[in-house]
Amino acid sequence: MQAILEALRAAVGADQVFTGAGIGERYLHDWMVSAPAGTPLAVVRPKTTQQVSAVMAACHAQGVPVVPQGGLTGLAGGAVPVQGCVCLSLERMDGIEEIDTASATLTAWAGTTMQTIQEAAWSAGFFWSWSFTGNAGPLGRAAFRRR
């Protein structure tokens, strides 16, 4: 167990690896709160794709399961941790990569909130209507329409 934690800390920095009591309640469920959660070994918050790759390689080498987490707005329990897993929180991977007005697409990092996407779309002259009451959500590529 210590070897995987050391590898995770080397991958993303010790301040972005949470264990034990340091794992916040928010990482233990998504909107499907009735799904039973296991206790994760750690929550890891990478900032770059290189860090994600290093975390995945370390977990693979040690046979540790990984549960990816975006905005935790899912309703199927897919982001709920399993016992002994590493929760891979993508919340620090946020921002707009590109707005292509000709094809009406917006490319965002996986941890970008829906509010940020809506604001970026609006500032580019588009309207993106998909929303939850919370302003979080993992997204990659979203099509939107002119307002």
Side-chain angles (χ1 to χ4, degrees), residues 64-136:
V64 176
V66 176
V67 175
Q69 294 183 334
L72 297 168
T73 56
L75 298 173
V80 176
V82 297
Q83 188 65 33
C85 75
V86 167
C87 291
L88 182 67
S89 172
L90 303 174
E91 65 191 305
R92 294 181 61 222
M93 298 181 71
D94 64 337
I96 305 299
E97 180 80 14
E98 173 188 29
I99 297 176
D100 183 341
T101 57
S103 64
T105 60
L106 180 149
T107 304
W109 286 98
T112 307
T113 64
M114 288 185 247
Q115 179 177 350
T116 298
I117 290 172
Q118 289 169 333
E119 290 169 358
W122 189 261
S123 69
F126 291 90
F127 178 70
W128 190 64
S129 61
W130 193 60
S131 182
F132 283 110
T133 54
N135 287 319

Side-chain angles (χ1 to χ4, degrees), residues 46-56 90 93 97 109-110:
K47 179 73 175 158
T48 66
T49 54
Q50 292 81 6
Q51 290 178 339
V52 171
S53 180
V55 167
M56 295 301 291
L90 303 174
M93 298 181 71
E97 180 80 14
W109 286 98

Side-chain angles (χ1 to χ4, degrees), residues 9-60:
R9 290 178 182 121
V12 300
D15 63 330
Q16 297 303 322
V17 177
F18 305 95
T19 61
I23 297 174
E25 174 69 23
R26 76 177 300 272
Y27 298 105
L28 301 180
H29 57 82
D30 57 14
W31 281 13
M32 180 68 167
V33 294
S34 64
T39 303
L41 172 66
V43 171
V44 180
R45 299 178 346 132
K47 179 73 175 158
T48 66
T49 54
Q50 292 81 6
Q51 290 178 339
V52 171
S53 180
V55 167
M56 295 301 291
C59 289
H60 176 73

